[in-house]
Amino acid sequence: MSSDTEMNNHVREVMRDIADTLLRPAAADIDRTEAYPFAHAKALAKAGISGMTIPVEWGGQGASFKTTCIAVEEAAKACGISGRIVVDTNMGAIPAIMAYGTDAQKARAAELVFDGDKPAICFTEPTAGSDATSMKTRADKHGDGYVLNGVKYWITGGGITRLYLVLAHVFDDDVYQGIGSFMIEEGNEGLRVGERIPAMGLRGIPESHLHLENCTVPATALLLPPAGLKKGFGQIMRAYNSQRIGAASVALGLAQGAYEEALSYVDKRQQFGRPISDFQGVQWKLADMSVKLRAARLLVHDTADSADPFPDMVASAQAKIFTAEMAIDVTNEALQLHGASGYGRDLPLERMARDARMFTIGGGTVEILRNMVASGILNRKLPQTKDRV
């Protein structure tokens, strides 16, 4: 047995134990109260799940993205919020910092994650969603540091996160330098968490506005990829490919959890004097669900294996498109098989269906991701891209 296989199996077992003892029993209350599960975040950190992709020299395990995807799926089968915590403590901002950060930046990010923090990467603004480069937030060079002003929007974990990776247009004496990323911690003067946005699903993690009002940071807060400010945004976006397969893994876990609920239920539910699993219409639904789940898992894991050091952009987009749409289909079919019981809150199906709906939107809408796939397979910029850049 290879060391990778051994690690994958170990992580799967650890995650299933946490899911059974802690995550699943609390999932409904988290959804109902909309309270962030700090206890889950601490437990995941204590078990070595949070930050496992962090290199060994910074205290992590140097785990692969595939191993992380396995952990995410197992967590999300029980609790979508916990799946997202596993993603955000291993993918997105963390790989970017570990790839491009200074030693001090890496050490600080690792310290916070191992203490239970869930870093947030801050792209979106009220007028800049899919078109991220149209963001209005700017960072002006001032002495030995920068002053940031702007508003970020739909920041996952706003108000409970301790480390924010904030993207902004950078200026020096009003001369444009490019898009930069800044590591800013809670409590930094000029950083203010605004109103929380009520959401349809995944309610246990706040989605919030983030206000930067003359937010002053030292120059050491700037995360600078090798390409520098002029082209560094592209390198940050490549790091974000890991976040996409992480999001796909949450969707996969939600769908797998719903499928397992349905598979168990159809043998127990009796109608017309027999279990409903005896009916061909039910059998075909289950068969189609299993095919979609297997295809999605293969896409996600194959994409995770493409990491060098980050997953392939086109493959990441393909995996997220397919898995996000699959999760909506499968969770809804699982709910349908439960009939009225599935629509009720006593079972997890309606929560899983609401949670799954997010993934065709967040982290890149499936429409924008289809543009990315088309651009990649045609090997050219597309006319609908502004200024063809």
Side-chain angles (χ1 to χ4, degrees), residues 10 14 41 45 61 102 126 131 139 154 187 238 240 254 266 275 280 316 323 335 338 360 370:
H10 171 71
V14 168
Q61 302 175 54
T102 63
D131 183 10
W154 279 97
R238 281 193 286 277
Y240 198 58
L254 289 165
V266 296
Q280 192 176 61
S316 298
T323 308
L335 189 157
H338 282 76
T360 58
R370 282 184 164 90

Side-chain angles (χ1 to χ4, degrees), residues 65 92 95-96 100 123 225-227 231-244 308-313 316 372:
F65 289 130
Y100 305 134
F123 286 104
K231 296 184 178 179
F233 178 68
Q235 292 185 319
I236 291 293
M237 291 305 294
R238 281 193 286 277
Y240 198 58
N241 290 335
S242 64
Q243 182 88 1
R244 292 200 169 107
D308 185 28
F310 305 116
D312 178 77
M313 181 188 72
S316 298
M372 290 172 58

Side-chain angles (χ1 to χ4, degrees), residues 13 27 40 69 74 81 85 87-89 123 137 187 200 212 259 272 279-280 291 318-319 326 357:
E13 289 175 8
H40 291 193
C69 289
E74 292 298 330
I81 294 301
I85 293 171
V87 172
D88 289 346
T89 56
F123 286 104
T137 299
M200 172 182 173
L212 299 125
Y259 167 74
F272 305 101
F279 297 103
Q280 192 176 61
V291 170
Q318 290 169 330
M326 175 279 299
R357 187 61 185 85

Side-chain angles (χ1 to χ4, degrees), residues 371-389:
N371 287 347
M372 290 172 58
V373 171
S375 179
I377 62 181
L378 292 169
N379 197 31
R380 60 182 171 86
K381 298 293 183 182
L382 302 179
Q384 65 265 38
T385 305
K386 186 172 67 176
D387 300 325
R388 296 180 68 87
V389 298

Side-chain angles (χ1 to χ4, degrees), residues 66 245 296-307 311-312 315 318-319:
K66 181 176 179 178
I245 60 167
R297 189 172 294 107
L298 289 169
L299 267 174
V300 170
H301 289 184
D302 180 68
T303 302
D305 281 339
S306 75
D312 178 77
Q318 290 169 330

Side-chain angles (χ1 to χ4, degrees), residues 194-243:
E195 58 272 37
R196 180 170 177 166
I197 304 163
M200 172 182 173
L202 295 165
R203 294 177 176 177
I205 192 165
E207 301 285 354
S208 306
H209 290 72
L210 193 69
H211 298 266
L212 299 125
E213 300 160 338
N214 292 323
C215 179
T216 302
V217 298
T220 53
L222 178 62
L223 183 70
L224 196 62
L229 287 173
K230 288 294 183 185
K231 296 184 178 179
F233 178 68
Q235 292 185 319
I236 291 293
M237 291 305 294
R238 281 193 286 277
Y240 198 58
N241 290 335
S242 64
Q243 182 88 1

Side-chain angles (χ1 to χ4, degrees), residues 114-166:
F114 296 143
D115 193 43
D117 185 37
K118 183 212 77 62
I121 192 163
C122 307
F123 286 104
T124 311
E125 298 185 2
T127 59
S130 297
D131 183 10
T133 58
S134 68
M135 68 181 75
K136 303 247 185 319
T137 299
R138 62 181 283 161
D140 287 278
K141 191 78 166 64
H142 186 75
D144 292 331
Y146 293 88
V147 178
L148 284 82
N149 284 279
V151 178
K152 295 296 181 179
Y153 184 57
W154 279 97
I155 302 307
T156 303
I160 58 93
T161 287
R162 295 167 63 188
L163 178 63
Y164 299 91
L165 185 61
V166 179

